[in-house]
Amino acid sequence: MTAPKPVIILVQPQLGENIGKAARAMLNFGLTEMRLVAPRDGWPNPSAGPAASGADLVLEQAQVFDTLAKAVADCSTVYASTVRRRELVVPVIGPEEMAQRIVGLTGRSAILFGPERSGLATEDVAVADAIVTVPINPEFGSLNLAQAVILLAYEWSRSQDLAQPTVREVEPPAPHADVDGLIGHWEAELDAVGYFFPPERTQATRNTIRTIFTKTGWSTREIKAVRGMLRAVVNRRPPRA
Amino acid sequence: MTAPKPVIILVQPQLGENIGKAARAMLNFGLTEMRLVAPRDGWPNPSAGPAASGADLVLEQAQVFDTLAKAVADCSTVYASTVRRRELVVPVIGPEEMAQRIVGLTGRSAILFGPERSGLATEDVAVADAIVTVPINPEFGSLNLAQAVILLAYEWSRSQDLAQPTVREVEPPAPHADVDGLIGHWEAELDAVGYFFPPERTQATRNTIRTIFTKTGWSTREIKAVRGMLRAVVNRRPPRA
């Protein structure tokens, strides 16, 4: 059983032309699954096709989501491509390390790219298991969207040769939808006891909680167990058999 | 003594815009020396600057030659970037092999790129010591000039410090004593609500809980946060400030 190819997720992409270029970059290295989260100019976008230079297949199969949470719901591991320093406690890795991790897992992986102008928002990065940063010239970092996509697609492609077709982990990490379920469960219980106070700290606290549970690598079964434990201590009774 | 950075040579480039984009691609990975052989529209070219997105330094220092022979005169090793099969007896290598050779030699190296439409002519390739080919999707090979430049510049850069940035663990995983504290905390709360039942299942359940919390990789700070969350939902009141 081999690892599935990573999904490329463009979060709030601005220009159709750049979506087309990203598709072209992907297909050069055999990546075909593109997802778009709230593309600014809607979808389909007539500027995308001409810029794809023949990578129409990627554009035709592209899926559109209104939220990032939905776009990563079936992904076990999410990488956020970014160059800016972040206030988050998310590990930062290089492209090669990312590629090796993707190839070593049987769950589906996703790589996130932010809007052309601003890059990923901090809340979007908080969804990720790791930040992936291409090591560029510290005095001149100017990668556009398609270039960032092509470099990471290239690294993934390189790692394919070295891929061991064996399954490493006993249970794959749960899809992000399950992680979201756990986070939502905790937040609801914490909210009920007035934990999110003062209001100006709430978002930071939520980001911390997200980071804490995203990094666990828990399987679906383990997440279920933790939710059962949480229910038990909150309801003050043992779980039903 | 370290190897000099490779020179990027554009042979008969057509559009100024593509020369600018190539300059930008180069500078992202610290390459600054560009040479132009018989650029179609002359030099300087007003379309180059805007496309360089700030990599003006590279364009300003670019040297122009009327023949490829002159452009490579001071170079010890020349690589021809091409995807087409050639009738030549020139060794074909991948980008990584090229990068390792460049880094391993003290002489000056050059990487040649052909005109956007047609690629390098056979007689230009014949000047090279080796052909370098980026392994792309056999069913969709569509690298433009700037993309070919950025991938080879990236490979060179990687070989510079085989240090891909090592994983930056912002916070190290907590000592096991802290993990034990968290497990003990959960077990006490679960025990208080009669969770460990029936008795013959207790040990297996405790083992599961240990595995779950041991694999998280949580830092001391994160463990503290989770214990605070647990206290809050059990005591049904927010944490003390």
Side-chain angles (χ1 to χ4, degrees):
Chain A
M1 192 170 171
T2 56
K5 296 180 181 184
V7 177
I8 299 296
I9 302 182
L10 307 185
V11 181
Q12 294 166 27
Q14 300 176 300
L15 293 175
E17 190 189 345
N18 291 330
I19 299 172
K21 288 179 176 175
R24 175 184 179 182
M26 288 169 60
L27 195 54
N28 265 303
F29 296 104
L31 297 182
T32 51
E33 197 171 344
M34 173 184 269
R35 296 181 183 180
L36 305 173
V37 177
R40 186 190 68 185
D41 299 335
W43 191 256
N45 183 321
S47 308
S53 301
D56 303 293
L57 169 87
V58 176
L59 297 177
E60 283 159 14
Q61 296 181 350
Q63 290 178 283
V64 180
F65 296 84
D66 56 356
T67 67
L68 176 56
K70 289 179 193 166
V72 299
D74 63 343
C75 299
S76 297
T77 316
V78 176
Y79 301 92
S81 168
T82 167
V83 289
R84 280 195 290 141
R85 294 244 170 276
R86 302 292 178 164
E87 310 299 302
L88 296 164
V89 187
V90 176
V92 178
I93 62 177
E96 188 171 12
E97 169 77 17
M98 177 203 74
Q100 284 164 356
R101 290 190 189 189
I102 289 174
V103 173
L105 289 173
T106 53
R108 185 178 292 273
S109 299
I111 312 174
L112 311 182
F113 297 85
E116 294 93 313
R117 182 170 295 275
S118 55
L120 288 168
T122 301
E123 314 78 273
D124 296 334
V125 176
V127 168
D129 299 270
I131 289 172
V132 57
T133 295
V134 176
I136 46 180
N137 182 351
E139 285 154 33
F140 181 82
S142 171
L143 286 183
N144 65 28
L145 176 60
Q147 288 172 333
V149 170
I150 207 169
L151 289 170
L152 295 184
Y154 170 68
E155 268 296 353
W156 171 78
S157 161
R158 291 173 93 251
S159 70
Q160 284 305 94
D161 308 337
L162 313 168
Q164 303 285 326
T166 48
V167 179
R168 262 200 247 148
E169 78 268 57
V170 187
E171 288 181 305
H176 265 242
D178 291 355
V179 180
D180 277 351
L182 173 65
I183 292 167
H185 191 164
W186 266 108
E187 290 192 338
E189 297 296 353
L190 290 168
D191 208 22
V193 300
Y195 186 81
F196 295 109
F197 186 85
E200 63 270 23
R201 289 282 312 145
T202 298
Q203 191 54 53
T205 305
R206 287 184 190 275
N207 287 347
T208 300
I209 292 172
R210 177 163 293 277
T211 303
I212 284 174
F213 290 111
T214 300
K215 75 188 286 189
T216 60
W218 286 337
S219 67
T220 295
R221 189 186 57 82
E222 289 168 331
I223 285 178
K224 227 164 149 176
V226 172
R227 294 188 65 171
M229 289 158 58
L230 177 56
R231 257 192 308 275
V233 299
V234 167
N235 298 338
R236 296 173 190 277
R237 55 170 187 264
R240 278 160 300 184
Chain B
M1 189 169 172
T2 57
K5 297 179 181 183
V7 177
I8 300 296
I9 301 182
L10 307 186
V11 180
Q12 294 166 25
Q14 301 175 299
L15 293 175
E17 189 189 347
N18 291 330
I19 300 172
K21 287 179 177 175
R24 176 185 180 181
M26 288 169 59
L27 195 55
N28 266 302
F29 296 104
L31 297 183
T32 52
E33 197 171 344
M34 173 184 269
R35 296 180 183 180
L36 305 173
V37 177
R40 186 189 68 184
D41 300 336
W43 192 255
N45 183 321
S47 308
S53 301
D56 303 293
L57 170 86
V58 176
L59 297 177
E60 284 159 15
Q61 297 180 350
Q63 291 177 283
V64 181
F65 297 84
D66 56 356
T67 67
L68 176 57
K70 289 181 193 166
V72 299
D74 63 344
C75 300
S76 302
T77 317
V78 176
Y79 301 93
S81 168
T82 167
V83 289
R84 280 194 291 142
R85 293 244 170 273
R86 302 291 177 165
E87 310 299 304
L88 297 164
V89 189
V90 175
V92 178
I93 60 177
E96 189 172 10
E97 169 76 17
M98 177 203 73
Q100 284 164 356
R101 291 190 189 188
I102 291 174
V103 172
L105 291 173
T106 53
R108 185 177 293 275
S109 299
I111 312 174
L112 311 182
F113 297 85
E116 293 94 312
R117 181 171 297 275
S118 55
L120 287 168
T122 301
E123 51 286 17
D124 296 334
V125 176
V127 169
D129 298 272
I131 289 171
V132 57
T133 296
V134 176
I136 46 180
N137 183 350
E139 285 155 31
F140 181 82
S142 172
L143 286 183
N144 65 29
L145 176 60
Q147 288 172 334
V149 170
I150 207 169
L151 289 169
L152 296 184
Y154 170 68
E155 267 297 353
W156 172 78
S157 162
R158 290 174 92 247
S159 70
Q160 278 310 92
D161 44 355
L162 290 178
Q164 281 266 321
T166 43
V167 177
R168 187 160 64 88
E169 290 292 357
V170 188
E171 291 180 300
H176 263 243
D178 291 355
V179 181
D180 279 351
L182 174 65
I183 293 168
H185 190 161
W186 266 107
E187 289 191 340
E189 295 297 351
L190 291 167
D191 208 22
V193 300
Y195 186 83
F196 294 109
F197 186 86
E200 62 270 24
R201 289 281 311 144
T202 299
Q203 192 53 52
T205 305
R206 287 186 191 274
N207 290 346
T208 300
I209 293 172
R210 175 161 295 277
T211 304
I212 284 174
F213 290 110
T214 301
K215 76 187 285 189
T216 60
W218 284 339
S219 67
T220 296
R221 190 186 58 83
E222 288 168 334
I223 285 179
K224 227 164 148 175
V226 172
R227 295 188 64 173
M229 288 158 57
L230 177 56
R231 257 192 309 276
V233 298
V234 167
N235 299 339
R236 295 174 191 277
R237 56 171 187 262
R240 278 160 299 181

